[in-house]
């Protein structure tokens, strides 16, 4: 009896493991999981091996049903060294989730949409991004979210943007609005350009 229970438990664990790494459907090389058939929503969970450029769409159509992409799975593309560029310009997402592209060591170009308001912890950790343009919609940048960015450009805005920590690889920056918790401490930065209207950099 104990042997049978052990075997059943082992099989259950293996099935859960397989399911955790699976996906529901694929469109144009990107993998998705269905979240709700009633609300017609899904999440982006990864991509085929060898995909270099990821353009996150607002929706996808599968089996005759159009689904809205309302999230990216945590760590969806972590350590995918094939990815070289990511664009959110066509998406309707409001945040880049934790560790979404962490360890993508060939990712050098990222385009953020003006619908995004949050870049969570580790989102682009270890990605050698040449220039990160932060649109006016972004209000919060998490810890190690931009750990390997060379240059940052913060669009002009009356609001304040919050950085959880510094960016250790930064060499230059344009700051167009107030910054809470400065990201330039202890960096090799050689040039900072300040836009008009700046009243505080903490």
């Amino acid at each position: 009896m104990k042997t049978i229970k052990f075997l059943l438990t082992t099989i259950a664990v293996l099935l859960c493991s397989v399911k955790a790494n699976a996906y529901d459907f694929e469109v144009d090389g990107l993998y998705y999981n269905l979240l709700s058939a009633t609300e017609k929503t899904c999440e982006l969970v990864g991509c085929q091996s060898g995909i270099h450029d990821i353009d996150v769409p607002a929706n996808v159509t599968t089996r005759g049903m159009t689904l809205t992409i309302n999230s990216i799975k945590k760590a969806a593309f972590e350590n995918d060294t094939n990815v070289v560029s990511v664009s959110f310009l066509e998406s309707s997402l409001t945040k880049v989730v934790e560790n979404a592209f962490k360890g993508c060591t060939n990712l050098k170009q990222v385009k953020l949409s003006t619908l995004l308001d949050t870049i969570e912890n580790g989102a682009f950790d270890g990605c050698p991004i040449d220039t990160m343009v932060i649109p006016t919609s972004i209000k919060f940048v998490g810890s190690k979210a931009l750990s390997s960015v060379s240059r940052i450009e913060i669009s002009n805005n009356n609001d304040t943007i919050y950085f959880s920590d510094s960016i250790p690889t930064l060499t230059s920056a344009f700051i167009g609005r107030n910054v809470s918790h400065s990201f330039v401490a202890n960096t090799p930065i050689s040039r900072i350009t300040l836009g008009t209207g700046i009243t505080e950099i903490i």
Side-chain angles (χ1 to χ4, degrees):
M1 182 64 75
K2 287 183 179 180
T3 302
I4 293 174
K5 285 184 177 179
F6 175 76
L7 288 173
L8 290 175
T9 302
T10 302
I11 291 170
V13 170
L14 289 172
L15 287 174
C16 287
S17 177
V18 170
K19 186 175 181 181
N21 294 319
Y23 57 91
D24 293 332
F25 62 95
E26 175 265 326
V27 177
D28 296 330
L30 299 180
Y31 298 146
Y32 301 90
N33 279 341
L34 178 66
L35 295 178
S36 172
T38 303
E39 297 179 2
K40 296 184 178 180
T41 58
C42 65
E43 68 175 348
L44 178 59
V45 299
C47 66
Q48 291 179 349
S49 178
I51 295 289
H52 299 296
D53 305 301
I54 297 174
D55 294 316
V56 182
N59 50 63
V60 289
T61 301
T62 182
R63 302 166 195 163
M65 181 168 56
T66 299
L67 304 169
T68 299
I69 303 164
N70 68 1
S71 64
I72 298 178
K73 186 177 181 179
K74 179 180 175 180
F77 299 92
E78 185 173 0
N79 297 324
D80 188 337
T81 57
N82 290 304
V83 178
V84 298
S85 72
V86 176
S87 174
F88 291 89
L89 297 181
E90 300 300 321
S91 81
S92 55
L93 300 178
T94 59
K95 64 181 177 181
V96 185
V97 298
E98 184 175 349
N99 297 338
F101 297 93
K102 180 180 179 179
C104 293
T105 53
N106 288 307
L107 176 55
K108 293 189 175 182
Q109 185 179 59
V110 174
K111 295 179 181 178
L112 303 176
S113 79
T114 54
L115 296 178
L116 290 166
D117 59 32
T118 302
I119 304 176
E120 293 189 339
N121 295 345
F124 298 103
D125 186 15
C127 304
I129 299 166
D130 293 326
T131 299
M132 176 66 83
V133 178
I134 305 292
T136 56
S137 57
I138 297 290
K139 304 296 188 296
F140 176 83
V141 179
S143 177
K144 296 185 178 179
L146 308 176
S147 66
S148 297
V149 175
S150 296
R151 173 175 169 75
I152 195 167
E153 296 180 9
I154 302 175
S155 300
N156 289 288
N157 196 322
N158 292 328
D159 294 328
T160 298
I161 184 169
Y162 178 91
F163 284 82
S164 292
D165 55 18
S166 61
I167 303 175
T169 57
L170 212 61
T171 57
S172 65
F174 168 78
I175 305 174
R177 55 180 152 136
N178 292 338
V179 174
S180 254
H181 290 71
S182 177
F183 55 88
V184 298
N186 301 316
T187 71
I189 196 163
S190 58
R191 181 173 182 176
I192 298 178
T193 303
L194 300 178
T196 57
I198 296 282
T199 59
E200 186 175 51
I201 299 177
I202 299 176

